Amino acid sequence: SLPAKLINGGIAGLIGVTCVFPIDLAKTRLQNQQNGQRMYTSMSDCLIKTIRSEGYFGMYRGAAVNLTLVTPEKAIKLAANDFFRHHLSKDGKKLTLLREMLAGCGAGTCQVIVTTPMEMLKIQLQDAGRIAAQKKLMAAKAQLSSSAAGAAEPAVETRTTATQITRELLRSKGIAGLYKGLGATLLRDVPFSIVYFPLFANLNKLGQKDPNVKAPFYVSFLSGCVAGSTAAVAVNPCDVIKTRLQSLQRGVNEDTYSGILDCTKKIWQKEGPMAFLKGAYCRALVIAPLFGIAQVVYFIGIAEFLLDMLPKHRA
């Protein structure tokens, strides 16, 4: 049932995000740093520096937004894929690869309704620590090089919340402010779903002894991990562009972008083609367990059990 699909997708998203959010934060910060202003050399270096400067919970900046909105996002994505697969199948026959890709395309298109504002807010909170650390480093260097006795103290970082960012965007730009980078999000999520869902479905079928019996949970988990990491790396260039476009605050001497083409051109010219793979391994590490867990929860059907228990409890 649709309620069961939505609940399963939501539970899967909450579990997955809680497990991998620090890696996602490292991915955002690695993708946003530009040549000449590099704060981090790797994922582990980013996480260590984050803990030192912001504490353990600094790795979870922006997690509240993600945990709030990941439930409808994952629910829409998984339920939409099932919906399109059902309506594209002919009399219950096996879907062709093209139809599987079309179902994935439909799912990716539907999810951006929630994904775009979620990513928009999450990125501001995740990257705020990097920008603050960069400013402190620049201020420290300026103090060391200055011979003035009364050198100014470095500014203290003022932390903003997702609510404050949302209010400011709605006040200044309206609802369109929350959907900045919508085109780039579509450019990432639609190809991701086109790759992910058919690949997962076919890998999962390899573990089914009978077409009418579900594959074992470990097969669904491994299939989700492999399909998720493959699709994540494949669309990483689009994710880099989306992250840069959705970042409202810039570090010292960092470029700003007017759109997808301008962003692509500047990254290619100033940072080289390898810059489009920034954070690719982080993204693979995030997406693999996230979708592995999502598919296990979704296929086990926790929601069906909970919904079945409701009438018995009332009785």
Side-chain angles (χ1 to χ4, degrees):
S1 66
L2 182 60
K5 289 176 183 178
L6 297 178
I7 294 170
N8 279 331
I11 293 171
L14 289 172
I15 296 171
V17 166
T18 303
C19 294
V20 300
F21 192 84
I23 304 173
D24 187 61
L25 178 135
K27 177 210 69 115
T28 298
R29 293 188 177 185
L30 288 170
Q31 286 182 340
N32 260 336
Q33 64 179 8
Q34 300 178 21
N35 289 350
Q37 300 295 335
R38 300 174 74 85
M39 293 289 299
Y40 316 108
T41 58
S42 64
M43 179 186 75
S44 57
D45 180 56
C46 178
L47 293 176
I48 290 168
K49 287 179 178 176
T50 298
I51 293 171
R52 284 176 181 171
S53 61
E54 303 168 55
Y56 175 79
F57 290 105
M59 295 190 298
Y60 283 88
R61 292 183 73 170
V65 174
N66 224 20
L67 289 170
T68 302
L69 296 179
V70 74
T71 298
E73 188 225 19
K74 285 290 175 286
I76 290 170
K77 188 185 190 82
L78 295 172
N81 181 64
D82 271 6
F83 173 82
F84 287 115
R85 286 178 71 90
H86 174 74
H87 285 279
L88 286 168
S89 63
K90 293 182 178 180
D91 302 323
K93 292 181 180 179
K94 181 182 176 182
L95 285 173
T96 63
L97 180 60
L98 177 61
R99 287 176 180 267
E100 286 183 332
M101 292 172 73
L102 285 173
C105 178
T109 304
C110 290
Q111 79 168 83
V112 297
I113 298 169
V114 177
T115 303
T116 306
M118 179 183 76
E119 291 276 313
M120 178 73 180
L121 295 171
K122 182 190 74 171
I123 285 170
Q124 313 318 313
L125 297 170
Q126 284 183 330
D127 204 40
R130 179 188 70 90
I131 294 170
Q134 189 186 80
K135 288 179 178 177
K136 285 179 183 178
L137 184 63
M138 296 293 288
K141 286 180 179 178
Q143 274 192 318
L144 287 173
S145 61
S146 174
S147 58
E153 290 290 329
V156 178
E157 179 195 359
T158 55
R159 293 198 176 190
T160 56
T161 65
T163 304
Q164 289 172 328
I165 296 169
T166 303
R167 285 175 179 170
E168 178 58 29
L169 285 171
L170 290 174
R171 185 190 65 78
S172 60
K173 299 181 180 179
I175 193 69
L178 289 172
Y179 281 86
K180 184 181 180 183
L182 175 62
T185 306
L186 280 167
L187 199 63
R188 181 196 69 171
D189 288 350
V190 172
F192 177 92
S193 296
I194 288 173
V195 173
Y196 172 77
F197 283 111
L199 183 56
F200 168 78
N202 286 283
L203 288 173
N204 199 54
K205 282 176 187 174
L206 296 176
Q208 289 180 278
K209 295 180 180 180
D210 188 311
N212 298 317
V213 179
K214 288 180 180 179
F217 79 93
Y218 65 87
V219 173
S220 293
F221 176 76
L222 291 174
S223 298
C225 288
V226 173
S229 57
T230 302
V233 173
V235 302
N236 196 74
C238 301
D239 190 55
V240 172
I241 294 167
K242 182 199 73 66
T243 300
R244 296 279 182 97
L245 288 174
Q246 288 189 319
S247 297
L248 299 176
Q249 300 294 323
R250 302 287 176 190
V252 181
N253 300 324
E254 288 184 344
D255 287 325
T256 56
Y257 311 102
S258 60
I260 294 173
L261 292 177
D262 180 56
C263 183
T264 305
K265 183 181 176 181
K266 285 180 178 176
I267 293 174
W268 183 278
Q269 290 177 343
K270 297 185 179 182
E271 301 174 58
M274 291 304 293
F276 291 104
L277 292 178
K278 281 183 177 181
Y281 65 96
C282 291
R283 185 161 161 74
L285 288 174
V286 169
I287 296 296
L290 183 62
F291 278 84
I293 292 166
Q295 291 295 357
V296 168
V297 172
Y298 196 63
F299 274 79
I300 287 175
I302 291 175
E304 285 87 342
F305 173 76
L306 294 174
L307 290 172
D308 286 343
M309 289 296 291
L310 284 177
K312 295 176 185 177
H313 179 69
R314 285 171 188 166

